[in-house]
Amino acid sequence: MKARYLIPLVVFLLMIGLFGVGLKLDPSKVPSPLIDKPAPQFSLPDLHDREKLVDTAVLREHKVSLFNVWASWCVACRQEHPFLMELARSGDVPIYGLNYKDKRPDAINWLNRLGDPYTASAFDEEGRVGIDWGVYGVPETFVVDSKGVIRYKQIGPLTEQAWQETILPLINQIRAEEG
Amino acid sequence: MKHLTVLAALCLLVFWGSVSVARIDTFVFDNPQDEQRFKKLSAELRCLVCQNQNLADSNAELAIDLRRELYSMIKAGKSDGEILDFMVARYGDFVLYRPPVKPTTYMLWVGPFILFVIGAVALVMFVRRRSDDVLPGDELSTEEQSRLQGLLEKQPAGKRKQR
């Protein structure tokens, strides 16, 4: 008899639990189907030197590298930029950039003014490579291992918290795997 | 009255302006079937930037790019399946407004029916229990019935209590 009256309470608590979880989820973060898949091939002109090509092979030159999609028109990119500079200064992981749907002078200007954390930036004017990489909200950062496999995708700015909690442990794990 | 007319005209003007700006890209198709396919596919694919809009309705940069991509794939003679695979490979099942039935989406497809069945069973149990509440022993005997009748008649009209 008593148990019967507890049912609404239990249902209520379950719903509170579900709503609580739902509040924490960010619906704008859609899991990428590219995780653990080979990075999509690209070959694009270098942002600074249109004669030079940047292609997927550069990502396989290191045990692990970051591939950061950015644009000078992107507000959140500016927000994450100081952190990228900090990472670049530490020299821990090479950062490659994909300058997405930008104008060359704007992008170069942006880097000159704020600093250039990128080992190299590929210039994706049309956003065609962005489509292949499933980019839908710049900035996005991919963690790529030495086999050229995408291991993780950060949607939105790369923050200190995301770095410490998720990306750095993953990088250490990848390094350990590759010995 | 005149003010109202002016206001209405202004509203119309503003609205008209937004409508004419909304769709700028024009695609030319070889045949009406291709155009139909473009319309159908762009209505079935989700824009990931503004998630409650499809590619046809959205004006986000990405949606414009993907419409162009869709157009060139149709032009190149790709089948609907190939085009959907292309999108899913890049953006995941989420890009489809009708996700495929597979283990990770079972809950999505079956969940509402499970809830419905639970609700129906609860309803049936509830109704059954209520009808069980009146047991044969609970009914009034003839004596009791006439006493009740007498009591009810003694009460002034309007003050009668229910039950």
Side-chain angles (χ1 to χ4, degrees):
Chain A
M1 196 62 191
K2 254 186 192 170
R4 224 178 87 185
Y5 293 111
L6 283 177
I7 292 173
L9 181 69
V10 171
V11 170
F12 175 72
L13 289 177
L14 277 175
M15 283 173 77
I16 290 287
L18 279 176
F19 291 153
V21 172
L23 272 179
K24 296 255 173 178
L25 295 176
D26 183 351
S28 70
K29 290 189 178 161
V30 182
S32 172
L34 291 167
I35 306 295
D36 293 329
K37 301 254 167 62
Q41 296 289 324
F42 69 87
S43 181
L44 285 171
D46 187 281
L47 175 66
H48 301 279
D49 178 3
R50 55 181 84 214
E51 305 296 313
K52 217 173 97 187
L53 284 178
V54 180
D55 60 26
T56 330
V58 294
L59 298 173
R60 285 194 296 267
E61 285 169 12
H62 313 270
K63 276 188 180 172
V64 58
S65 46
L66 299 181
F67 187 61
N68 175 258
V69 186
W70 67 282
S72 67
W73 47 260
C74 147
V75 180
C77 299
R78 181 149 186 165
Q79 187 195 332
E80 80 170 350
H81 188 267
F83 186 68
L84 290 183
M85 287 304 290
E86 204 181 297
L87 276 183
R89 264 194 295 274
S90 76
D92 203 17
V93 193
I95 309 171
Y96 288 91
L98 181 74
N99 184 231
Y100 175 70
K101 288 177 77 76
D102 210 343
K103 294 197 177 68
R104 206 185 275 267
D106 290 353
I108 293 173
N109 215 340
W110 200 80
L111 293 180
N112 285 343
R113 211 171 62 242
L114 301 168
D116 185 352
Y118 304 109
T119 310
S121 255
F123 182 56
D124 185 21
E125 191 169 19
E126 299 280 301
R128 191 58 198 68
V129 171
I131 290 180
D132 282 343
W133 282 69
V135 171
Y136 67 88
V138 267
E140 290 185 6
T141 307
F142 296 83
V143 178
V144 182
D145 68 17
S146 67
K147 292 176 204 74
V149 172
I150 295 175
R151 300 293 293 267
Y152 182 74
K153 174 184 180 182
Q154 164 84 15
I155 298 158
L158 196 60
T159 56
E160 174 81 46
Q161 193 193 0
W163 178 259
Q164 291 298 343
E165 285 176 5
T166 321
I167 299 172
L168 191 59
L170 175 66
I171 288 175
N172 289 334
Q173 186 201 322
I174 295 171
R175 284 189 173 138
E177 279 169 20
E178 304 194 357
Chain B
M1 195 57 211
K2 203 179 167 195
H3 286 293
L4 263 179
T5 325
V6 173
L7 191 70
L10 263 174
C11 285
L12 200 68
L13 199 71
V14 169
F15 183 64
W16 196 254
S18 65
V19 167
S20 58
V21 169
R23 295 292 294 271
I24 33 169
D25 42 33
T26 45
F27 297 118
V28 183
F29 293 92
D30 298 337
N31 54 52
Q33 290 95 304
D34 278 0
E35 191 170 354
Q36 277 309 312
R37 283 178 59 210
F38 181 83
K39 281 189 184 150
K40 195 183 116 233
L41 288 168
S42 62
E44 272 189 24
L45 291 166
R46 187 195 301 272
C47 167
L48 281 100
V49 181
C50 21
Q51 299 181 344
N52 288 330
Q53 282 190 306
N54 56 30
L55 285 189
D57 294 337
S58 175
N59 232 339
E61 278 279 314
L62 180 69
I64 296 169
D65 288 357
L66 287 178
R67 278 204 295 271
R68 206 171 49 212
E69 200 66 35
L70 183 60
Y71 173 71
S72 57
M73 281 193 281
I74 287 177
K75 270 282 207 189
K78 294 264 170 68
S79 72
D80 287 7
E82 282 172 318
I83 293 171
L84 292 179
D85 285 349
F86 174 94
M87 295 293 176
V88 170
R90 283 156 182 77
Y91 301 102
D93 289 335
F94 192 72
V95 77
L96 305 173
Y97 264 112
R98 283 184 301 166
V101 183
K102 60 182 199 182
T104 48
T105 58
Y106 281 165
M107 265 321 269
L108 191 68
W109 283 100
V110 190
F113 298 105
I114 294 177
L115 284 179
F116 176 78
V117 168
I118 290 175
V121 168
L123 181 73
V124 167
M125 276 169 62
F126 183 73
V127 169
R128 281 243 180 103
R129 189 168 308 148
R130 292 218 52 180
S131 57
D132 286 352
D133 277 352
V134 187
L135 296 168
D138 286 348
E139 275 161 34
L140 298 178
S141 63
T142 344
E143 248 172 83
E144 287 169 325
Q145 190 66 49
S146 61
R147 210 179 131 218
L148 173 70
Q149 207 58 39
L151 283 168
L152 282 173
E153 270 154 31
K154 255 196 244 168
Q155 289 253 353
K159 273 196 169 179
R160 272 182 199 168
K161 285 185 188 153
Q162 293 257 298
R163 182 175 178 109

